[in-house]
Amino acid sequence: MTVTRTLVVPASELRERFSRSGGPGGQGVNTADSRVELSFDLAASPSVPDHLKARMLDRLAGRLVDGVLTIAASEHRAQLQNRAAARERLAAVLRAAAAPPPPVRRATKPTKGSKERRIAGKKRRAQTKRGRSGSWD
């Protein structure tokens, strides 16, 4: 399974479990194991480079159970479609976790023109308020 150009997860590291999907159904609802649980042991995976593994474990800490990431798919009626959906979702989660951090924002000072516009606006507003107070004869 290709996650990024540098990260490819071999199928041998993925574990699939099948069970009955919930919700309404027809004749095959009690016999078809169409729900798919796809598990990937991220912590013990030899295919993930160490620099990526540390970043991914940190970002996915809330979703991991003992270093294992599990994705469940049951939106389709067919097991094959659910398997494809689970693999695609797993790849998307791993891709997002492996993405480099965004660049740090450097604070800048406001420009001279923006300061002048802000002060001019404040003076206009003060003049409007000053004009409201007055004696009403």
Side-chain angles (χ1 to χ4, degrees):
M1 178 177 71
T2 304
V3 178
T4 62
R5 283 182 288 172
T6 57
L7 177 60
V8 177
V9 177
S12 60
E13 292 187 28
L14 301 176
R15 299 281 171 256
E16 289 180 324
R17 236 180 79 213
F18 306 104
S19 60
R20 292 193 190 128
S21 189
Q27 288 176 314
V29 73
N30 294 326
T31 58
D33 288 342
S34 59
R35 182 174 186 265
V36 177
E37 280 186 20
L38 186 64
S39 299
F40 173 59
D41 193 352
L42 179 61
S45 175
S47 62
V48 181
D50 290 335
H51 69 282
L52 278 181
K53 190 181 290 190
R55 183 188 306 162
M56 293 168 83
L57 286 172
D58 184 48
R59 288 188 180 172
L60 295 173
R63 293 192 66 167
L64 297 176
V65 177
D66 296 331
V68 178
L69 176 65
T70 303
I71 303 285
S74 62
E75 60 264 18
H76 300 288
R77 290 178 60 167
Q79 186 188 86
L80 201 60
Q81 289 174 318
N82 282 332
R83 287 175 75 179
R87 285 174 187 263
E88 186 58 41
R89 212 176 309 150
L90 178 69
V93 168
L94 292 177
R95 199 174 299 120
V104 178
R105 181 191 175 275
R106 292 204 179 97
T108 58
K109 292 182 179 179
T111 61
K112 186 176 179 182
S114 68
K115 285 181 187 176
E116 289 173 359
R117 284 190 297 274
R118 183 178 65 86
I119 299 300
K122 287 166 76 79
K123 287 187 177 181
R124 242 188 334 272
R125 183 74 178 146
Q127 186 65 36
T128 302
K129 289 189 171 191
R130 214 175 299 121
R132 290 180 187 157
S133 64
S135 60
W136 302 96
D137 291 86

